[in-house]
Amino acid sequence: MKDMHGLIFAYAGGGGTRLKELTEHRSVSSLPFGGRYRVIDFMLSNMVGAGITDVGVIMRENYQSLLDHLGSGKDWDLSRKRGGLRLLPPFSFAGKGPYEGVFLGSMAALFDITSYLSHIRQEYVVLAEGCLVANLPLEDALRHHIANGADITALCTPRRLGQAECACFLQMDDDDIVTDIARGRDMLDTTESLGVYILSKKLLETLVAHCAAHNLYDFERDVLQGMLGTLKVSGYVFNGFAARMSTVASYFEHNMSMLRAEVRASLFLKDRPVKTKVRDDTSTYYAPAARVSNCLVADGCFIEGDVENSVIFRGVRIESGARVHNSILMQDTKVSAGAILGYAITDKEVVIGPGRMLMGHATYPIAIGKGSIV
């Protein structure tokens, strides 16, 4: 459907601090995921797959990596003379308003782009978190929104995605109408919000103006919870794979889940492909003595050692005698001869020296910052 406009919040509250070294030089949305993607690729692809041609990406901090990755948007067919991809740096549209120069929440961020909102051509807007990995049927969700006559439709899942203090929980009746909302505390017989909401452009502008006038800053707390008695909120239940990047442990767990065939089948669909920035690499080279089992290996790698139960990004080099198991090696990592890695996450361009041994645990993986030499 071409009557939707996409807005992605390319940050995740306090999630960046909980991801430690992994978000020291980037936002959560630009975290590498699944061997060749970035987290934001999934939400962008969801929108493009639903026929959305205009997408705004609202940034907050550490967004240089995101700018480099998204570019003009041509890899998602969003490089257009009219509309297409718009990158909205923090406070770029801020005027002499109540939120000038200060980030307080999603409604404050939307107020800072009031002029952008006024020029949206479509009738409906999709607000989405940029830290979510899922393949969402947004067209079907919009039809559900219209059929229910809802003011706001929240996409949700019966699964639990992580820490309750970071989540919003919805209680619904038999007609999928939300009757109660809890934030930061789980409730029985509820679904968890995916942080994706559909509403009309007109209602969004009204809510932004109302929140600015009453010093209300947060969409889920001040709009969903605060106005539940006056707004008709509907829930659209999504039963496929969904993951939210909030901690180092959750990032490790969700990446490792990509080794399971059923997860990949739920995430990568022929009719809704996931697009990313193109990097032209040669095929991966496996030396005759290399041993690789149950791994996700991208193009452009050079593997001479032993690799097991790991996610290997593009351009990784694993030398002879090195052993890597239960680990995530990001782009252009080098593991020197004789080194051993277990339950480790290496950021881009990390070099592990000869004979080094780094061992973490499934619940507490080691994260090594970008460009580090160990």
Side-chain angles (χ1 to χ4, degrees), residues 6 24 51 53 63 70 93 114-115 140 146 174 184 194 235 240 266 268 271 281 290 360 367:
E24 186 176 353
T53 57
Y63 52 84
L70 296 178
F93 290 82
T114 300
S115 60
D140 192 48
I146 296 171
D174 294 337
L194 293 172
S266 174
F268 300 105
D271 57 337
D281 283 296

Side-chain angles (χ1 to χ4, degrees), residues 82-311:
R82 186 183 182 197
L85 182 68
R86 291 288 301 276
L87 303 176
L88 307 172
F91 323 119
S92 58
F93 290 82
K96 298 294 182 181
Y99 306 137
E100 183 183 9
V102 180
F103 179 85
L104 298 169
S106 52
M107 295 308 292
L110 289 170
F111 179 80
D112 284 339
I113 60 167
T114 300
S115 60
Y116 176 85
L117 298 180
S118 67
H119 288 92
I120 289 176
R121 299 175 291 163
Q122 293 80 10
E123 183 178 354
Y124 298 99
V125 177
V126 182
L127 303 178
E129 291 182 358
C131 62
L132 182 72
V133 171
N135 197 322
L136 303 174
L138 291 180
E139 281 188 282
D140 192 48
L142 177 60
R143 285 190 285 267
H144 181 276
H145 174 80
I146 296 171
N148 272 15
D151 295 310
I152 300 174
T153 292
L155 277 71
C156 51
T157 175
R159 300 173 55 241
R160 294 299 180 255
L161 302 185
Q163 298 172 316
E165 60 266 27
C166 304
C168 178
F169 301 97
L170 312 176
Q171 197 167 65
M172 298 184 293
D173 62 19
D174 294 337
D175 297 320
D176 295 330
I177 303 302
V178 177
T179 57
D180 197 9
I181 299 174
R183 291 189 75 227
R185 183 172 295 179
D186 204 346
M187 299 189 302
L188 293 174
D189 300 320
T190 59
T191 58
E192 182 173 336
S193 171
L194 293 172
V196 181
Y197 304 99
I198 298 175
L199 68 167
S200 69
K201 173 201 169 182
K202 182 178 179 181
L203 176 59
L204 178 61
E205 290 183 300
T206 301
L207 292 174
V208 169
H210 173 83
C211 288
H214 294 84
N215 294 324
L216 304 174
Y217 314 123
D218 186 85
F219 182 83
E220 291 178 342
R221 181 191 65 218
D222 298 321
V223 175
L224 288 186
Q225 276 189 313
M227 303 181 188
L228 186 60
T230 56
L231 293 175
K232 183 179 181 181
V233 181
S234 174
Y236 176 88
V237 180
F238 172 70
N239 291 302
F241 175 83
R244 181 180 287 117
M245 307 299 128
S246 57
T247 64
V248 173
S250 70
Y251 175 80
F252 180 82
E253 175 191 352
H254 297 319
N255 264 279
M256 297 303 286
S257 70
M258 299 292 291
L259 299 178
R260 305 204 307 267
E262 67 274 14
V263 171
R264 297 195 300 273
S266 174
L267 196 54
F268 300 105
L269 306 175
K270 290 184 178 179
D271 57 337
R272 295 201 302 272
V274 180
K275 301 180 180 181
T276 189
K277 181 180 179 180
V278 174
R279 170 176 154 166
D280 296 322
D281 283 296
T282 59
S283 299
T284 290
Y285 170 77
Y286 299 92
R291 292 188 297 178
V292 180
S293 63
N294 192 34
C295 291
L296 197 62
V297 182
D299 293 335
C301 298
F302 190 93
I303 300 177
E304 296 177 297
D306 298 346
V307 191
E308 182 182 6
N309 300 329
S310 296
V311 178

